[in-house]
Amino acid sequence: MTQPLLIRNIRPMAGDSVDILIENGRIKRIASAIEAPGVQVEDGCGAIAIPGLVEAHTHLDKTLWGMPWHRHEQGKTLGSMIANERSLRRDLDMDPARQSARHVAMTMAKGTTAIRSHVDIDTDHELAMFDGVVATRQRYLDVIDIEIVAFPQSGMMIRPGTEALMDTALANGADVVGGLDPCGIDRDPKGHLDAVFALAEKHGKPIDIHLHEPGEMGAFSLEMILERTESMAMQGRVTVSHAFCLGMPDQARVQGLMEWIARLDVSLATTAPPSRPVPSVAACRDLGIAICAGSDGIRDTWTPYGNGDMLERAMLVGLRNNFRADEEVGWALETCTTQGARVMGLDGYGLIEGGSADLVLIDGLGLSDIVALRPERRLVVSKGRIVARNGVVETEYQPA
Amino acid sequence: MTQPLLIRNIRPMAGDSVDILIENGRIKRIASAIEAPGVQVEDGCGAIAIPGLVEAHTHLDKTLWGMPWHRHEQGKTLGSMIANERSLRRDLDMDPARQSARHVAMTMAKGTTAIRSHVDIDTDHELAMFDGVVATRQRYLDVIDIEIVAFPQSGMMIRPGTEALMDTALANGADVVGGLDPCGIDRDPKGHLDAVFALAEKHGKPIDIHLHEPGEMGAFSLEMILERTESMAMQGRVTVSHAFCLGMPDQARVQGLMEWIARLDVSLATTAPPSRPVPSVAACRDLGIAICAGSDGIRDTWTPYGNGDMLERAMLVGLRNNFRADEEVGWALETCTTQGARVMGLDGYGLIEGGSADLVLIDGLGLSDIVALRPERRLVVSKGRIVARNGVVETEYQPA
């Protein structure tokens, strides 16, 4: 049970000013001049209100946030970055519970109220990262939705024993079955995808597969994912992350794949990397395909970049898609809000009466303005609780 | 004459802590525990110091900064955006002196101490934008280097009369001859480039040409630029901005053009757009080609994005070039510092004794850290004067 809260003078989606009454973690009422004697009042000062930001693709177990600077000298191939990380996990003091809590608090301060996190499972570290993130999920249970994807980052077919560990994680609370580059990394697309879909069937859980493979190799793996989605009746329960292959120049080829994706209600997750081809957000919109966004890893052994700000991700989605018109920038913001909620299946998402009381207050001239400038978040409310003010998480949510 | 200034405890380029003594706009001494009785002291608190950021490609006459929100609904072709802007300049209250001053102050607050600005010259508005930016340059003469490029944004060959206006601007204080898409916009590559190079010869001024043209069309225009650079002995005095054609997939074709560019000491300017192909910063480095960076237009009729932060531009250059290693992120930062200074030919640039006292203090763990997170600038010093503290310009530099 949370205390009731009345927020006065805020502008949902940059519209007209209203008050919002929150009770028991839900939005009880949205109206002008709400009377609620004795209830705690926050003055929104005319700030824009948006629903809680959704971080739909990140890696809570990977961040070095709050640790001494790690000098980046790793190579650029996927394989070298994977091996580098697996080895550094032993050399650096990367306690997964502590680090994932730091990551959660940092992104919550910027307005994130739901996270889908891939979590590495491999035969070197077994379930250590999974257990750490589970502890963090438990710690922040009242204020943030965390979905855990059991993620075979180092491969399954090339690393026997991984599949059994994935099975254990899924039995012990992982929400989603992960996968990774069936050709490029695991060198056995049939073996990899059969295993992923079998785990999903066994545990009755959805799938989210990392697919970095470019061009026709990626398209081939994507076809194999879609074939299994169809034959195993997994419509609406499969996400493909990255899907760089859908950014290839052959528009006719891409269109065919996109129509197939739409027919099976498969979702996409993008991190909008400026240096890689990406699926078109506008094309997804045209076809009704859900496309959500994520930060990917934040300041980890792979990359120095990232700050957990999903408004900044919306800007990067906008820039990557050459979105300039206000309407288009709104679509970029949707990848970090409603589209993420759709992919994660969040209950009662949105600034509506009866909805979950997850909202972010930001000063600005409009939605394009806040995406372009990303001002500090004035107030973050999650499940009816105030979790951050002016960019700083409340004391009780501060990590070690 | 400026008052002497002693800044204690700062770390040039994230190195060891030193003091810096500034006199008459120059760095007089860099050493530990400098004694300078009676001199104003600033405590750097161990902040990182970098030389002033260089904004080497922007448009001071275009911004709507500080004006009511402009709803973006323009088309996406270059031609439509150019026509839209020319027409909106009449409908919106875009006073060029006021707006360029706002732009300068906004970017100065983030550590920019030198700007190369293209300024539109066309037959509708003649020299109105040029005159406005000249007024702003005069106003900020003591604290910021502003180079003005006379820029035929609406075309020269397709808009008779423009060339004569360019000629007048160059006679009246424009520093650089601009140009624009000789094929794509001006529909007469020979006419356009002959005119640009003739103006440069007549006024003894360098050249900076916008070249958005993609692929082989851009390569053809680039060849024509290089041919004239060679035949008119303009080596070291020509910049090609954008040069998207150098991001085309045909690596052998690109390599040939890049070697030619290097031989003629032609410079490149990039804005690192995530949605367009770009010249490779690493390849430029390998060949010794100067490549500087810029924001392009900031919150203007073309785009809602931009905030004048050249550390954010360094991040975008890093992301666009897939720079992850600390050394590589340093190259991205160089496009916004030393490379910009090289292209603009800035006198005494850099944190060295005898150098111009342009420096920015930022709290951080290292250079990659400040590029990744872009913290507020603690102090900005330009030509020996304190111009901004904690992200806010000093009162005397605030615009209307």
Side-chain angles (χ1 to χ4, degrees):
Chain A
M1 285 303 252
T2 59
Q3 294 302 309
L5 176 65
L6 176 63
I7 310 181
R8 291 214 184 275
N9 189 16
I10 58 176
R11 297 183 297 123
M13 304 313 282
D16 292 335
S17 174
V18 294
D19 298 347
I20 290 194
L21 179 65
I22 292 166
E23 277 184 24
N24 299 321
R26 312 298 287 197
I27 297 174
K28 169 92 170 172
R29 237 187 117 201
I30 304 179
S32 294
I34 295 176
E35 300 279 345
V39 167
Q40 179 189 345
V41 175
E42 288 285 332
D43 184 356
C45 299
I48 292 170
I50 61 172
L53 292 159
V54 181
E55 164 67 272
H57 184 111
T58 191
H59 296 266
L60 290 175
D61 61 314
K62 290 185 189 291
T63 191
L64 302 171
W65 197 262
M67 291 174 56
W69 184 255
H70 167 68
R71 188 167 171 80
H72 286 268
E73 299 172 303
Q74 77 277 14
K76 271 200 181 39
T77 67
L78 206 50
S80 71
M81 291 194 282
I82 292 170
N84 180 60
E85 177 179 57
R86 212 172 48 247
S87 141
L88 282 172
R89 282 196 192 274
R90 298 213 185 280
D91 304 337
L92 302 174
D93 171 29
M94 289 173 65
D95 177 83
R98 183 195 66 211
Q99 287 308 114
S100 56
R102 285 179 180 170
H103 185 143
V104 166
M106 172 259 287
T107 189
M108 212 159 65
K110 300 189 169 85
T112 297
T113 60
I115 298 172
R116 174 177 281 189
S117 174
H118 299 256
V119 179
D120 288 10
I121 289 172
D122 67 52
T123 51
D124 283 9
H125 303 280
E126 302 188 335
L127 299 176
M129 284 82 83
F130 172 73
D131 292 339
V133 177
V134 166
T136 291
R137 175 168 67 178
Q138 187 60 32
R139 175 172 172 187
Y140 288 99
L141 195 60
D142 289 341
V143 285
I144 194 154
D145 292 299
I146 299 178
E147 245 187 5
I148 296 177
V149 185
F151 177 48
Q153 171 77 79
S154 293
M156 259 195 312
M157 298 299 109
I158 56 173
R159 193 166 272 270
T162 305
E163 200 177 332
L165 290 164
M166 298 267 293
D167 188 55
T168 306
L170 288 157
N172 293 343
D175 306 286
V176 182
V177 186
L180 172 75
D181 291 353
C183 293
I185 295 292
D186 229 8
R187 325 306 284 180
D188 177 2
K190 181 175 189 312
H192 181 90
L193 292 173
D194 285 348
V196 166
F197 277 81
L199 284 167
E201 182 171 54
K202 175 175 174 187
H203 294 278
K205 292 189 172 166
I207 289 171
D208 189 335
I209 300 179
H210 278 64
L211 188 64
H212 308 93
E213 296 167 5
E216 282 299 338
M217 173 171 59
F220 164 66
S221 291
L222 181 54
E223 288 172 343
M224 292 187 70
I225 293 168
L226 298 177
E227 286 159 5
R228 283 162 180 74
T229 302
E230 192 149 20
S231 66
M232 296 181 73
M234 285 287 285
Q235 288 90 338
R237 293 172 59 73
V238 174
T239 304
V240 179
S241 282
H242 301 307
F244 297 148
C245 60
L246 293 172
M248 71 171 133
D250 184 342
Q251 291 302 301
R253 175 76 162 120
V254 169
Q255 181 68 15
L257 291 166
M258 291 284 277
E259 286 170 5
W260 193 359
I261 287 170
R263 211 157 55 235
L264 299 180
D265 194 15
V266 163
S267 311
L268 301 175
T270 185
T271 66
S275 65
R276 302 300 300 267
V278 292
S280 155
V281 170
C284 287
R285 205 184 142 78
D286 287 344
L287 290 164
I289 298 168
I291 181 164
C292 58
S295 300
D296 214 342
I298 291 177
R299 180 163 292 203
D300 55 20
T301 67
W302 299 57
T303 176
Y305 306 105
N307 61 4
D309 185 353
M310 291 304 294
L311 272 188
E312 185 156 301
R313 190 59 43 186
M315 179 185 78
L316 290 168
V317 169
L319 288 171
R320 186 67 190 82
N321 285 270
N322 195 22
F323 286 161
R324 295 163 182 257
D326 288 52
E327 184 183 20
E328 296 172 327
V329 178
W331 302 342
L333 181 56
E334 284 175 7
T335 66
C336 301
T337 54
T338 50
Q339 294 286 311
R342 179 176 161 194
V343 171
M344 286 182 65
L346 295 178
D347 164 49
Y349 183 82
L351 299 180
I352 46 167
E353 290 184 353
S356 183
D358 305 321
L359 58 146
V360 189
L361 305 193
I362 311 148
D363 294 324
L365 301 175
L367 298 179
S368 280
D369 182 37
I370 62 172
V371 170
L373 296 186
R374 302 143 278 143
E376 196 168 85
R377 309 310 116 87
R378 175 185 278 276
L379 195 76
V380 182
V381 175
S382 193
K383 302 187 193 315
R385 296 170 203 264
I386 292 172
V387 295
R389 284 178 198 274
N390 303 316
V392 181
V393 286
E394 298 283 282
T395 315
E396 61 205 288
Y397 305 117
Q398 279 171 13
Chain B
M1 283 306 249
T2 59
Q3 294 301 309
L5 176 66
L6 177 62
I7 310 181
R8 290 214 184 276
N9 188 19
I10 58 177
R11 297 182 297 121
M13 304 313 282
D16 292 336
S17 174
V18 294
D19 298 348
I20 290 193
L21 179 64
I22 292 165
E23 278 184 23
N24 298 321
R26 313 297 287 195
I27 296 173
K28 170 93 171 171
R29 236 186 117 201
I30 303 178
S32 295
I34 295 177
E35 300 279 347
V39 167
Q40 180 190 344
V41 176
E42 289 285 332
D43 184 357
C45 298
I48 293 171
I50 60 172
L53 291 160
V54 181
E55 165 66 272
H57 183 111
T58 192
H59 297 266
L60 290 176
D61 60 314
K62 290 184 189 290
T63 191
L64 302 171
W65 197 261
M67 290 175 56
W69 184 255
H70 167 70
R71 187 165 173 82
H72 287 268
E73 299 172 305
Q74 77 278 15
K76 272 201 180 38
T77 67
L78 207 50
S80 72
M81 290 194 283
I82 291 170
N84 180 60
E85 177 179 57
R86 211 174 46 249
S87 140
L88 282 173
R89 281 198 194 273
R90 298 214 185 276
D91 304 337
L92 302 175
D93 170 30
M94 288 173 68
D95 178 82
R98 183 195 66 209
Q99 287 308 115
S100 55
R102 285 178 181 171
H103 185 142
V104 166
M106 172 259 286
T107 189
M108 212 160 66
K110 299 189 170 85
T112 297
T113 60
I115 298 173
R116 173 177 282 189
S117 175
H118 299 255
V119 179
D120 288 10
I121 289 173
D122 66 54
T123 51
D124 283 9
H125 303 280
E126 302 189 337
L127 299 176
M129 284 81 83
F130 172 72
D131 292 339
V133 177
V134 166
T136 291
R137 176 169 67 179
Q138 187 60 32
R139 175 171 174 187
Y140 289 99
L141 195 62
D142 289 341
V143 285
I144 194 154
D145 292 299
I146 298 178
E147 244 186 5
I148 295 178
V149 185
F151 177 47
Q153 171 77 79
S154 293
M156 260 196 308
M157 297 299 110
I158 56 172
R159 193 166 273 268
T162 305
E163 200 176 332
L165 291 163
M166 299 265 295
D167 188 54
T168 306
L170 288 158
N172 293 343
D175 306 287
V176 182
V177 186
L180 172 76
D181 292 354
C183 294
I185 294 293
D186 230 9
R187 325 305 285 180
D188 177 2
K190 181 173 187 314
H192 181 91
L193 291 173
D194 284 348
V196 166
F197 278 82
L199 285 167
E201 183 171 53
K202 175 176 175 187
H203 295 278
K205 293 189 169 166
I207 289 171
D208 189 334
I209 300 180
H210 278 65
L211 189 63
H212 308 93
E213 295 167 5
E216 281 301 337
M217 174 171 58
F220 163 67
S221 291
L222 181 55
E223 288 172 344
M224 291 186 69
I225 292 168
L226 299 176
E227 285 160 6
R228 282 161 180 74
T229 302
E230 193 150 20
S231 66
M232 297 182 71
M234 286 285 287
Q235 287 89 338
R237 293 173 58 74
V238 174
T239 304
V240 180
S241 282
H242 302 307
F244 297 149
C245 60
L246 293 172
M248 73 171 131
D250 183 343
Q251 292 302 300
R253 175 77 163 120
V254 169
Q255 181 68 15
L257 291 166
M258 291 284 278
E259 286 170 4
W260 194 0
I261 288 169
R263 212 156 55 235
L264 298 180
D265 195 16
V266 163
S267 310
L268 301 174
T270 186
T271 66
S275 66
R276 302 300 301 267
V278 292
S280 156
V281 170
C284 287
R285 205 185 143 77
D286 287 345
L287 290 164
I289 298 168
I291 181 164
C292 59
S295 300
D296 214 340
I298 290 176
R299 181 162 294 202
D300 55 20
T301 68
W302 299 57
T303 175
Y305 306 105
N307 61 3
D309 185 353
M310 292 304 295
L311 272 187
E312 185 155 300
R313 190 59 42 184
M315 178 186 80
L316 290 169
V317 169
L319 288 171
R320 186 66 191 82
N321 284 270
N322 195 22
F323 286 161
R324 295 163 182 260
D326 288 51
E327 184 184 19
E328 296 172 327
V329 178
W331 302 342
L333 182 56
E334 284 175 7
T335 66
C336 302
T337 54
T338 50
Q339 294 286 312
R342 179 176 161 195
V343 171
M344 286 182 64
L346 296 177
D347 163 51
Y349 184 83
L351 300 179
I352 46 167
E353 289 183 354
S356 182
D358 306 319
L359 58 146
V360 188
L361 305 193
I362 311 149
D363 294 324
L365 301 174
L367 298 180
S368 281
D369 182 36
I370 62 171
V371 170
L373 296 186
R374 302 144 278 144
E376 196 169 83
R377 308 311 114 88
R378 175 184 278 275
L379 196 76
V380 183
V381 176
S382 193
K383 304 188 191 313
R385 297 171 201 263
I386 292 173
V387 295
R389 284 178 197 274
N390 303 317
V392 180
V393 286
E394 298 283 281
T395 315
E396 61 206 287
Y397 306 116
Q398 279 171 12

